[in-house]
């Protein structure tokens, strides 16, 4: 269920905007979109600030999502009854992922920028004011003014640097509120998805933001809504929310190797393997199904081996494993002979067949 625009992000080669009737409302009320500190709007999805605001022709955003899901369920009833539709993944943000649109390429973001907080539409600011008043600190009803811009590095900002304001009393208050907005949005939409698709498994996708993972603040995760600095587990609350709705967690970047990232972008201080291990274990500890997919095109054996390693961890006493894996994606590159042979080798191993680890060329000779 895609409630976001397609186009302008990594891997997008088509452009499908939000429905015209939504865009028309957005022209009169641009606060229905996520907004950064400078006031720039991002029309790729609706701000979570209007989840319960009747600004969409008399309906709230959550009601619009529910009406769409219910209509889909009725229209394609035969596919649900027959079991052809085995799972519904519910879009919860940009690219269908549960995250703030903190690193939009079309706004100039480039890897490994830390991104920007996206809470400056009038509805999220109203929520922030209420939270600050409830806490008894009205001066905290603001976003941080020293968090840099899309392509800043953590150490260049007063907020994200080691010992920075992210760990101050105000910083902890703001980040807790910001991440809670994310969790509550997932909670609202999935509660209605479970109602619309009763009897069918539902899932939600969480993005793998692995850059700056080796720093104390985890800045890129913070701007995306994952309150996961080095002294806090930001993914356990998300896993608990998914558990509440019997929803599976779909996570990305299981093919990425930390060593490769460090060689290609040493300045990013990335650790995709550490992030994947943290998130998968948070989900397994919550006893929810875990699915995954690759973040970038993958045709080599090292990448496939990393996927297999995450899909079926060796020597796990609890025999935990991924429930499903989605390969991205069918393309002309995949159809090249060597790539297709490697992919076939990977699929056989994923299904438990005993396959030689010799190079493809050697296997063919044998």
């Amino acid at each position: 269920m895609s409630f976001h625009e397609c186009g302008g992000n990594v891997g997008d080669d088509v452009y499908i905007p939000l429905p015209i009737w939504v865009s028309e409302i957005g022209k009169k009320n641009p606060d229905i979109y996520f907004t950064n500190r400078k006031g720039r709007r991002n029309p790729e999805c609706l701000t979570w600030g209007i989840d319960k605001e009747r600004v969409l022709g008399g309906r709230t955003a959550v009601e619009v999502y529910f009406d769409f899901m219910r209509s889909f369920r009725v229209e394609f009833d035969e596919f649900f009854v027959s079991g052809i539709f085995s799972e519904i993944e519910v879009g919860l943000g940009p690219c269908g992922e549960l995250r703030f649109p903190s690193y939009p390429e079309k706004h100039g973001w480039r890897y490994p920028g830390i991104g920007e907080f996206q809470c400056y539409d009038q509805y999220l600011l109203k929520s922030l004011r209420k939270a600050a008043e409830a806490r008894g600190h009205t001066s905290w009803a603001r976003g941080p003014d020293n968090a840099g811009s899309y392509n800043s590095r953590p150490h260049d900002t007063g907020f994200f640097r080691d010992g920075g304001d992210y760990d101050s009393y105000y910083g902890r208050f703001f980040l807790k509120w910001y991440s809670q907005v994310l969790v509550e949005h997932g909670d609202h939409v999935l509660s209605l998805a479970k109602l619309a698709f009763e009897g069918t498994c539902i899932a939600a996708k969480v993005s793998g933001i692995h850059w700056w993972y080796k720093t104390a603040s985890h800045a890129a995760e913070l701007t995306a809504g994952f309150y996961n600095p080095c002294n806090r587990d930001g993914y356990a609350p998300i896993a608990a929310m998914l558990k509440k709705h019997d929803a599976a967690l779909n996570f990305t970047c299981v093919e990425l190797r930390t060593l490769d990232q460090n060689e290609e972008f040493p300045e990013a201080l990335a650790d995709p393997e550490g992030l994947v291990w943290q998130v998968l274990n948070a989900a397994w500890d919550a006893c929810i199904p875990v699915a995954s997919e690759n973040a970038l095109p993958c045709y080599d054996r090292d990448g496939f081996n990393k996927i297999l390693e995450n899909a079926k961890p060796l020597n796990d006493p609890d025999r935990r494993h991924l429930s499903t894996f989605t390969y991205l994606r069918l393309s002309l590159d995949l159809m090249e002979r060597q790539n297709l042979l490697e992919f076939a080798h990977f699929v056989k191993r994923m299904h438990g067949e005993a396959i030689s680890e010799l190079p493809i060329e050697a296997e063919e000779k044998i």
Side-chain angles (χ1 to χ4, degrees):
M1 300 286 102
S2 297
F3 303 123
H4 63 280
E5 168 188 284
C6 181
N9 287 298
V10 176
D12 290 344
D13 54 7
V14 296
Y15 176 66
I16 306 172
L18 296 184
I20 294 175
W21 68 268
V22 174
S23 301
E24 291 299 317
I25 293 173
K27 290 176 183 177
K28 299 175 182 177
N29 179 14
D31 278 292
I32 67 171
Y33 302 125
F34 283 106
T35 308
N36 71 1
R37 185 175 181 82
K38 293 182 178 178
R40 185 168 185 180
R41 316 290 185 175
N42 187 340
E44 65 179 304
C45 60
L46 299 174
T47 172
W48 303 333
I50 63 168
D51 275 1
K52 296 192 173 182
E53 298 280 349
R54 297 192 177 281
V55 295
L56 299 175
R59 291 183 292 170
T60 68
V62 168
E63 287 171 345
V64 169
Y65 304 145
F66 176 66
D67 288 347
F68 180 88
M69 291 187 287
R70 182 174 54 184
S71 176
F72 185 90
R73 175 62 183 81
V74 171
E75 182 68 23
F76 295 99
D77 177 68
E78 62 185 284
F79 296 104
F80 285 94
V81 172
S82 64
I84 290 176
F85 288 169
S86 59
E87 184 178 84
I88 297 292
E89 185 170 280
V90 182
L92 296 174
C95 301
E97 299 170 335
L98 180 60
R99 65 173 174 86
F100 285 86
S102 56
Y103 51 98
E105 284 195 329
K106 61 185 176 183
H107 289 184
W109 174 85
R110 295 294 179 267
Y111 183 85
I114 60 175
E116 294 186 19
F117 292 113
Q118 305 289 319
C119 57
Y120 294 92
D121 61 85
Q122 64 165 305
Y123 303 104
L124 285 181
L125 286 177
K126 180 173 71 172
S127 169
L128 179 57
R129 278 195 302 272
K130 289 176 66 175
E133 289 168 2
R135 182 69 182 272
H137 297 283
T138 55
S139 62
W140 288 357
R142 57 178 177 82
D145 56 10
N146 58 348
S149 56
Y150 284 121
N151 293 310
S152 296
R153 305 301 192 248
H155 49 271
D156 293 329
T157 73
F159 193 78
F160 297 115
R161 63 176 173 79
D162 288 355
D165 290 344
Y166 80 92
D167 204 26
S168 65
Y169 287 110
Y170 157 72
R172 291 195 295 271
F173 157 78
F174 173 78
L175 292 170
K176 183 178 180 181
W177 167 81
Y178 192 71
S179 62
Q180 190 61 32
V181 169
L182 176 146
V183 172
E184 288 178 356
H185 171 70
D187 187 31
H188 295 153
V189 178
L190 291 179
S191 65
L192 293 177
K194 188 177 180 181
L195 184 63
F197 301 118
E198 185 177 2
T200 301
C201 297
I202 59 174
K205 186 190 292 189
V206 175
S207 54
I209 302 178
H210 53 81
W211 52 106
W212 307 114
Y213 190 85
K214 289 183 176 179
T215 63
S217 64
H218 292 218
E221 290 169 88
L222 297 186
T223 58
F226 306 124
Y227 190 8
N228 191 55
C230 64
N231 58 353
R232 191 178 189 277
D233 184 354
Y235 297 98
I238 295 172
M241 179 271 292
L242 295 175
K243 173 68 173 177
K244 175 181 173 183
H245 303 293
D246 299 317
L249 183 148
N250 184 12
F251 195 61
T252 62
C253 78
V254 288
E255 85 286 9
L256 298 182
R257 299 166 68 234
T258 297
L259 181 62
D260 293 340
Q261 294 297 309
N262 291 344
E263 289 177 352
E264 295 174 26
F265 294 97
E267 72 278 12
L269 296 174
D271 187 5
E273 293 180 40
L275 175 64
V276 168
W277 186 244
Q278 179 188 355
V279 174
L280 296 193
N281 277 279
W284 283 328
D285 288 347
C287 299
I288 59 175
V290 185
S292 195
E293 60 187 46
N294 50 306
L296 300 173
C298 179
Y299 309 112
D300 64 286
R301 187 162 299 189
D302 285 343
F304 287 138
N305 283 345
K306 176 51 65 177
I307 293 170
L308 287 160
E309 183 182 319
N310 287 316
K312 297 182 282 190
L314 286 174
N315 303 318
D316 187 320
D318 299 313
R319 301 179 65 83
R320 300 181 298 188
H321 56 82
L322 295 182
S323 59
T324 59
F325 174 77
T326 302
Y327 177 79
L328 301 178
R329 63 180 37 91
L330 179 62
S331 66
L332 291 175
D333 287 337
L334 179 62
M335 292 297 101
E336 291 182 10
R337 184 173 180 278
Q338 181 67 24
N339 291 343
L340 192 58
L341 287 170
E342 281 289 359
F343 180 69
H345 181 278
F346 161 69
V347 171
K348 289 177 181 178
R349 291 192 66 204
M350 186 67 97
H351 284 280
E353 294 186 30
I355 303 294
S356 167
E357 270 302 284
L358 290 171
I360 291 293
E361 297 83 358
E363 287 183 19
E364 288 184 316
K365 289 178 181 177
I366 292 171

